[in-house]
Amino acid sequence: MDLKFKIWRQDGPEAAGRMEDYELTGISPDMSLLETLDVLNEQLIANGETAIAFDHDCREGICGTCGMFIDGRPHGPLTGITTCQLHMRSFEDGATIHVEPWRVDAFPVIRDLVVDRSAFDRVIQAGGFVSVNAGTAPEANSIPVRRADAERAFDAAACIGCGACAAVCKNSSAMLFVAAKVSHLSLLPQGRVEAVERVRGTVAQMDAEGFGGCTNTGACEAECPKHVSMEHIARMNWEFVKATLFSRE
Amino acid sequence: MLLDARIPEGPLAEKWSLYKSKIRLINPANKRRVDVIVVGSGLAGASAAASLGELGYSVKCFCFQDSPRRAHSVAAQGGINAAKNYQNDGDNVYRLFFDTIKGGDYRSREANVYRLSELSVSIIDQCVAQGVPFAREYGGLLANRSFGGVQVQRTFYARGQTGQQLLLGSYSALSRQVAKGRVTMLPRREMLDLVLIDGKARGIVARNLATGELERHSAHAVVLATGGYGTAYYLSTLALGCNASAAWKAYKRGACIASPSFTQIHPTCIPAAGEHQSKLTLMSESLRNDGRIWVPKALGDNRPPGDIPEGERDYYLERKYPSYGNLAPRDVSSRAAKEVCDAGHGVGPTGLGVYLDFKDALARDGRDTIASRYGNLFEMYLTITGEDPYEVPMRIYPAAHFTMGGLWVDYDLMTTIPGLYAIGECNFADHGANRLGANSLLQACVDGYFVIPYTLGDYLADDIRTGPVATDTPAFDEAERGVRERLDRLLGVGGTTSPRRFHKQLGGILWDRCGMVRSAKGLESAITDLRALREDFWRNVRVTGRADTLNPELERAGRVADFLELAELICHDALDREESCGAHFREEYQTEDGEALRNDEEYKYVSVWEHQGDGEPPKLNKEHLEFANVELAVRSYK
């Protein structure tokens, strides 16, 4: 395949960015998009130019490191996959592919396609856990968990923290990310104990980081590579209402 | 060097309890005055940092990723073993211990492995309490499945994403300690040297990967949890950032590396599609519970798999190993796949592939049941290859996966440098010459949650009055200068070849000559070629960009330079071991029907390599293994 690229280049956090044009020929449809960027970087290095910086690691869709806007959509034109799982067979021969970093105020650009997503870590630090020290847990089977609840908790826990939800949202809202953690833990008896503190803490941190509010457009669910459902946002809102109206402490 | 594994006295089953009752404790007020550095934030690193923070130590945790949640433990699919005996099928701590020792082909230390099995029970309790959504039965109790190499159902799992869920559990525990101020998390940092003061590990020099700044961090002890180095093979199932650099710096500072050639080649990976392949994706071997592995009996049979009648298929694992069949251990399965492909029976465009067929399981259990077990794996396969495994059999081939070898540690998980510990995959401790499926998550958890908090405490009891370790000292100056010089040297070579190309060549050498089958001749030529490649690297590498910004090419170049040195050590190790055991199969040492020929008379030891200076051959030390509780047997899965 012969392809054209328009890729965001930015030398540093404070530098102005720009779209640069690149061309590649002889790309195999079985290559992934990241492998194609590898080839492009090899070409740049051969010409003595600086390689394009992009975040990536596992290249199998589970670590959540990669993430870029491809032709105007997070993780590209397919649904249910991350950028590293996108193969060139999804593009037409001769296509021009636009690649940009996440555009979210709470995720500032570090360089080229690399952004700082540490805001997500701080949200989790604000309550996305069960307070149980190593060595203090009760026997695992002493608390049975309804199978359907465990499965639904898993659906939420499958979030990989890539940031596509906030990146696609017109409000740059991180509701789906926050809801995934709140919902995962509130569905399990082990997590219920701290449900009030968790939803208050994480929602407050989400606001403090500068993420926008949720207006239920559903773009996050549509673009989530792990199919995390908006049902979890509804559950988080219910938890938040309970924590606000019915809980005294 | 005199190696002392410091194995506690007493009967095997009581060693750990006796040990714990004898170690020194530190009172809570004093713990606050003790600093610990943890390098790596995977399952082992995050659980260690969190657990040490919970105890009250002042902890700094480093990772090269943008967040600790990205560490490669996240990608482990299949599950975690624990001797809970929830299935009432005769499992117990001794059996898990025995299976691990046997699976490792009798090249691991009894006392460590027994402790691993013993603590497996508490790990499940811990993870469930954290909210890890393990699979459950309709009655609400935890579900189990069986895994390669064993005959009981002791593997706990969370669909095909067990590693992700366990890692997120340890990440949440770590996050809690960060919020409490007990752990300072430093992401996007790479450890580039270890600092020793008076012979003890007292700090590291790290590079801030976002800004390029070099940083000095001191502590009273350093814990490495830096994972495996399977990426030395270029194509592997590992994340692309996985590297050996931290461990290699430690080696150069005096920590020994044990059995580095014991690399597990995983039998069930998606075959490479072409020359630009950057990594190989693993398909969990839990698939082997229901999938049947076969190749066409006829040479060059190019018919679509569905057109090949039953009688013309060779279910070679079921044929050769009737009692274990498709669940034969990883090394045995991998070699068998290589054998049939080398003989010309391989399938797919490259001929390097075998079928993993779910036709019978789908007919027996129905699509819904199979989807509930492996749905996400089937989807992943479809995404990568464009083929639907519900309709056509998967194609799989072995790939480099897990490194059993690593930094040598004693029973306390301390390396040969006082105050430097190694936990999880970066040490050599528990898996011998071959790791049992679902034991890697177990080891990472056990080391981090339950071993290091005790053993490190005993060591640190001497440091309650030491006070903060200064970083404006000659040892830190020297280390930082060395790091800076090397970065400048990498950027200054000014050659024409990218670091990735060198890495690819290196991987080719290791895969062909130190992969599934090794020989003295191949290894000797590999060592010669590696030396030449290393020289070529330092003459012709081209690293673009600068040192004072985020620069992934510079990071890669440093890691490849270290791999080029480590690779030679790997080959020395494989050359020295004139036997076949576990993942290490020497062509010269096999039985008449092609099975591994172990030599317990001469090689019942752990090879412990000691650095002798750049350009000098490494020195071999031996830790002789004693087996008082298992009988050494030929590992047979027939």
Side-chain angles (χ1 to χ4, degrees):
Chain A
M1 300 171 75
D2 296 340
L3 297 162
K4 293 193 176 80
F5 280 91
K6 287 184 181 293
I7 298 178
W8 184 259
R9 301 301 305 264
Q10 183 173 334
D11 294 339
E14 307 302 326
R18 70 230 172 250
M19 296 298 279
E20 294 262 356
D21 293 342
Y22 301 98
E23 285 186 24
L24 281 174
T25 54
I27 297 298
S28 154
D30 285 331
M31 284 165 63
S32 71
L33 181 93
L34 296 188
E35 285 164 357
T36 309
L37 290 181
D38 291 342
V39 171
L40 176 56
N41 272 341
E42 289 295 304
Q43 195 170 299
L44 293 175
I45 294 167
N47 295 335
E49 296 170 55
T50 305
I52 300 161
F54 60 93
D55 264 336
H56 65 98
D57 202 21
C58 78
R59 296 207 177 188
E60 56 182 82
I62 194 70
C63 72
T65 310
C66 67
M68 35 190 103
F69 252 82
I70 298 152
D71 287 342
R73 292 181 61 185
H75 300 302
L78 305 186
T79 56
I81 60 161
T82 57
T83 299
C84 63
Q85 295 173 298
L86 178 63
H87 288 76
M88 302 318 286
R89 65 178 89 96
S90 300
F91 297 93
E92 300 285 327
D93 191 14
T96 301
I97 302 170
H98 296 72
V99 186
E100 296 171 81
W102 289 163
R103 306 285 191 189
V104 178
D105 283 348
F107 297 157
V109 172
I110 298 175
R111 185 182 181 89
D112 296 341
L113 302 168
V114 177
V115 298
D116 176 358
R117 282 169 294 195
S118 55
F120 273 7
D121 288 328
R122 291 187 291 275
V123 168
I124 299 298
Q125 287 157 17
F129 47 75
V130 177
S131 297
V132 52
N133 285 358
T136 61
E139 199 332 286
N141 261 349
S142 60
I143 306 172
V145 179
R146 191 169 166 249
R147 181 175 163 145
D149 289 342
E151 292 294 311
R152 212 172 297 164
F154 183 99
D155 290 340
C159 167
I160 56 174
C162 64
C165 48
V168 73
C169 177
K170 64 176 183 173
N171 307 317
S172 294
S173 171
M175 281 286 271
L176 194 64
F177 169 79
V178 182
K181 190 46 65 187
V182 168
S183 185
H184 156 213
L185 292 175
S186 74
L187 279 161
L188 297 171
Q190 290 83 3
R192 283 251 39 107
V193 181
E194 293 168 283
V196 170
E197 290 77 11
R198 181 175 308 113
V199 73
R200 283 181 185 159
T202 52
V203 168
Q205 190 63 36
M206 171 179 80
D207 290 343
E209 295 292 345
F211 291 108
C214 173
T215 50
N216 288 308
T217 66
C220 52
E221 177 185 285
E223 293 293 13
C224 174
K226 295 297 158 186
H227 302 298
V228 174
S229 160
M230 281 178 71
E231 166 201 320
H232 300 295
I233 295 184
R235 187 172 292 108
M236 176 168 82
N237 284 335
W238 172 231
E239 291 291 339
F240 191 77
V241 167
K242 280 196 292 184
T244 310
L245 299 182
F246 308 131
S247 183
R248 300 232 172 134
E249 279 92 33
Chain B
M1 178 176 289
L2 195 64
L3 293 169
D4 181 4
R6 310 214 306 160
I7 298 166
E9 294 298 313
L12 185 65
E14 290 165 39
K15 281 183 193 295
W16 180 238
S17 314
L18 291 171
Y19 173 91
K20 284 198 294 180
S21 60
K22 283 183 187 159
I23 53 170
R24 294 170 297 170
L25 300 176
I26 306 178
N27 87 44
N30 284 334
K31 281 189 184 125
R32 228 171 287 137
R33 287 189 244 156
V34 179
D35 302 321
V36 180
I37 282 174
V38 178
V39 184
S41 67
L43 199 39
S47 59
S51 306
L52 292 167
E54 288 161 9
L55 289 172
Y57 296 104
S58 298
V59 183
K60 279 184 181 175
C61 182
F62 298 77
C63 69
F64 70 80
Q65 299 90 342
D66 72 324
S67 163
R69 67 178 296 153
R70 315 276 184 223
H72 194 55
S73 308
V74 81
Q77 297 169 355
I80 176 167
N81 287 330
K84 283 282 200 188
N85 193 30
Y86 281 165
Q87 304 309 319
N88 198 27
D89 55 1
D91 197 15
N92 62 24
V93 169
Y94 180 83
R95 277 190 198 276
L96 175 54
F97 155 77
F98 178 80
D99 287 343
T100 305
I101 290 272
K102 177 189 171 194
D105 222 358
Y106 308 95
R107 291 295 174 263
S108 49
R109 199 186 284 150
E110 277 193 344
N112 285 58
V113 176
Y114 195 89
R115 178 177 63 190
L116 178 81
S117 309
E118 188 180 341
L119 295 175
S120 69
V121 176
S122 317
I123 286 297
I124 301 304
D125 301 341
Q126 182 65 28
C127 297
V128 166
Q130 288 173 341
V132 170
F134 282 122
R136 288 179 181 268
E137 304 292 353
Y138 283 105
L141 303 183
L142 291 155
N144 293 112
R145 60 183 169 203
S146 59
F147 229 72
V150 301
Q151 290 173 314
V152 291
Q153 291 194 309
R154 64 159 77 100
T155 305
F156 294 77
Y157 62 101
R159 293 191 201 156
Q161 287 151 255
T162 318
Q164 180 201 24
Q165 295 307 319
L166 292 177
L167 179 72
L168 292 179
S170 64
Y171 165 70
S172 69
L174 174 65
S175 298
R176 177 172 159 242
Q177 295 307 310
V178 172
K180 286 185 163 188
R182 299 275 196 210
V183 178
T184 306
M185 186 67 220
L186 295 130
R188 291 197 192 272
R189 301 297 200 289
E190 180 163 27
M191 169 182 153
L192 291 179
D193 206 355
L194 177 74
V195 178
L196 269 59
I197 296 172
D198 299 330
K200 291 179 177 173
R202 290 297 199 192
I204 64 169
V205 172
R207 181 166 178 266
N208 180 329
L209 300 180
T211 64
E213 279 167 84
L214 296 185
E215 301 171 343
R216 301 174 179 199
H217 298 277
S218 67
H220 299 100
V222 176
V223 180
L224 297 186
T226 53
Y229 50 84
T231 27
Y233 286 76
Y234 188 66
L235 285 182
S236 76
T237 64
L238 273 65
L240 270 68
C242 293
N243 67 81
S245 289
W248 192 248
K249 309 300 181 198
Y251 171 72
K252 290 203 158 180
R253 292 281 181 190
C256 292
I257 288 184
S259 307
S261 71
F262 289 169
T263 301
Q264 185 167 76
I265 310 289
H266 199 290
T268 50
C269 302
I270 301 178
E275 59 162 328
H276 294 296
Q277 190 88 25
S278 59
K279 83 153 273 166
L280 296 169
T281 302
L282 178 121
M283 292 277 100
S284 168
E285 76 179 335
S286 62
L287 291 167
R288 293 200 277 146
N289 278 312
D290 287 302
R292 296 180 69 196
I293 294 173
W294 64 276
V295 290
K297 277 186 183 166
L299 285 175
D301 188 340
N302 290 327
R303 286 176 290 175
D307 294 351
I308 301 177
E310 277 298 316
E312 295 177 39
R313 300 174 175 195
D314 180 11
Y315 293 92
Y316 57 89
L317 284 177
E318 297 172 19
R319 170 170 60 78
K320 290 171 74 169
Y321 308 101
S323 70
Y324 280 78
N326 294 298
L327 291 174
R330 292 178 175 179
D331 56 328
V332 172
S333 308
S334 290
R335 266 198 311 279
K338 178 177 159 56
E339 212 172 89
V340 292
C341 291
D342 287 353
H345 296 277
V347 299
T350 58
L352 295 175
V354 300
Y355 290 124
L356 176 61
D357 199 337
F358 290 88
K359 195 183 62 168
D360 294 351
L362 284 163
R364 184 185 65 226
D365 299 334
R367 188 179 164 121
D368 289 350
T369 306
I370 295 299
S372 74
R373 285 181 200 152
Y374 312 113
N376 68 314
L377 296 170
F378 278 35
E379 269 175 46
M380 193 197 255
Y381 184 86
L382 173 65
T383 306
I384 294 173
T385 63
E387 292 176 357
D388 182 1
Y390 292 104
E391 304 297 329
V392 290
M394 286 183 179
R395 281 176 294 114
I396 54 166
Y397 197 66
H401 179 53
F402 183 92
T403 41
M404 283 74 69
L407 290 164
W408 183 88
V409 288
D410 61 17
Y411 188 76
D412 290 2
L413 305 182
M414 187 157 85
T415 66
T416 46
I417 296 177
L420 180 70
Y421 290 74
I423 61 174
E425 189 177 348
C426 80
N427 76 25
F428 89 104
D430 297 329
H431 308 299
N434 175 50
R435 176 174 64 74
L436 212 58
N439 261 3
S440 65
L441 292 175
L442 175 62
Q443 187 216 346
C445 284
V446 164
D447 286 1
Y449 285 118
F450 292 132
V451 178
I452 204 77
Y454 287 96
T455 61
L456 190 61
D458 186 40
Y459 172 82
L460 291 170
D462 288 331
D463 274 311
I464 54 174
R465 276 180 207 87
T466 306
V469 178
T471 57
D472 54 347
T473 54
F476 274 97
D477 292 344
E478 183 258 332
E480 188 182 320
R481 192 165 53 242
V483 167
R484 199 176 297 281
E485 278 169 9
R486 190 164 116 127
L487 291 171
D488 290 343
R489 196 176 155 210
L490 283 166
L491 285 162
V493 175
T496 54
T497 309
S498 71
R500 186 195 310 275
R501 278 175 198 272
F502 284 105
H503 192 179
K504 210 169 167 179
Q505 288 181 59
L506 159 67
I509 294 172
L510 279 181
W511 180 250
D512 290 341
R513 287 172 259 175
C514 201
M516 280 179 278
V517 178
R518 296 117 184 236
S519 70
K521 203 172 141 224
L523 290 164
E524 278 160 7
S525 76
I527 290 171
T528 311
D529 291 354
L530 285 168
R531 286 181 185 157
L533 188 63
R534 205 159 58 226
E535 269 183 42
D536 191 26
F537 176 90
W538 285 107
R539 266 204 306 268
N540 288 316
V541 73
R542 174 182 284 179
V543 185
T544 62
R546 302 199 315 249
D548 60 351
T549 60
L550 183 133
N551 186 347
E553 285 302 310
L554 181 60
E555 295 163 29
R556 189 198 317 277
R559 293 168 191 167
V560 172
D562 291 333
F563 281 143
L564 282 165
E565 296 180 11
L566 168 65
E568 188 178 324
L569 185 68
I570 292 175
C571 292
H572 277 298
D573 183 54
L575 187 59
D576 168 74
R577 190 164 284 275
E578 297 186 336
E579 64 162 350
S580 295
C581 64
H584 172 69
F585 189 86
R586 282 282 296 266
E587 208 170 72
E588 305 93 320
Y589 307 100
Q590 52 180 309
T591 62
E592 276 176 15
D593 51 354
E595 299 298 326
L597 196 60
R598 216 176 59 224
N599 181 349
D600 293 329
E601 288 284 301
E602 290 174 273
Y603 290 95
K604 200 179 65 184
Y605 62 78
V606 177
S607 310
V608 187
W609 298 93
E610 187 182 351
H611 185 54
Q612 301 289 294
D614 287 331
E616 299 295 318
K619 184 182 163 210
L620 174 65
N621 302 280
K622 296 175 184 177
E623 181 197 341
H624 291 278
L625 295 167
E626 304 292 334
F627 292 94
N629 300 276
V630 294
E631 204 171 312
L632 269 67
V634 174
R635 202 169 60 116
S636 170
Y637 292 91
K638 296 233 176 205

